Amino acid sequence: FHGRIIYNDGIPDNISVDPETGHIYSTMFLKVQETHKFFRHPSLNTTTVAGTKIVRLTQRPDPSTGFDVETLLLDSGELMPSATVAAIQRRNQIQRMLVGCVMCDFLVVCQQTHL
């Protein structure tokens, strides 16, 4: 096994793999210091500067050439504080991305047509 490092302007958190397509989805912290402040003291409401990015990695036809990386969501913290997981849900004709945060009491549902 040969590893490869993929940089994409953020620190990855949890990843999920879409079993149907093999795409890899990852949440990324954009501003680690602000995210750390939020996790330590959520009441300080630092989320508007923490930011989250969600990316999809698609394996290229030749695995030795790596992945294509596509940004699916870029949020400054207005939508939700520091997302920690993104997963794809498919049911009948419905396809959507579910985004969660360990410090939230809600889930963000993103309707997608090209997952």
Side-chain angles (χ1 to χ4, degrees):
F1 175 78
H2 291 87
R4 180 175 294 224
I5 298 172
I6 300 170
Y7 294 99
N8 203 278
D9 302 324
I11 306 297
D13 193 15
N14 296 310
I15 64 169
S16 64
V17 178
D18 183 339
E20 188 173 307
T21 65
H23 295 148
I24 299 169
Y25 295 86
S26 178
T27 56
M28 303 183 84
F29 302 129
L30 294 180
K31 297 182 181 175
V32 177
Q33 288 182 325
E34 296 303 323
T35 302
H36 180 70
K37 285 180 195 176
F38 173 71
F39 285 151
R40 289 188 62 193
H41 303 287
S43 62
L44 294 179
N45 196 22
T46 61
T47 61
T48 57
V49 292
T52 294
K53 184 178 194 177
I54 298 175
V55 296
R56 173 173 53 202
L57 289 82
T58 304
Q59 181 75 57
R60 293 181 180 145
D62 177 0
S64 67
T65 62
F67 295 87
D68 290 320
V69 180
E70 177 185 5
T71 299
L72 299 180
L73 181 107
L74 186 60
D75 177 45
S76 66
E78 298 292 326
L79 179 64
M80 75 182 314
S82 303
T84 53
V85 67
I88 301 305
Q89 179 191 40
R90 289 189 177 83
R91 182 178 293 167
N92 301 322
Q93 298 299 317
I94 297 172
Q95 297 184 59
R96 56 190 175 185
M97 181 170 57
L98 308 174
V99 182
C101 170
V102 71
M103 303 294 283
C104 298
D105 60 355
F106 61 90
L107 187 71
V108 173
V109 178
C110 302
Q111 301 298 332
Q112 296 274 334
T113 58
H114 63 283
L115 299 173

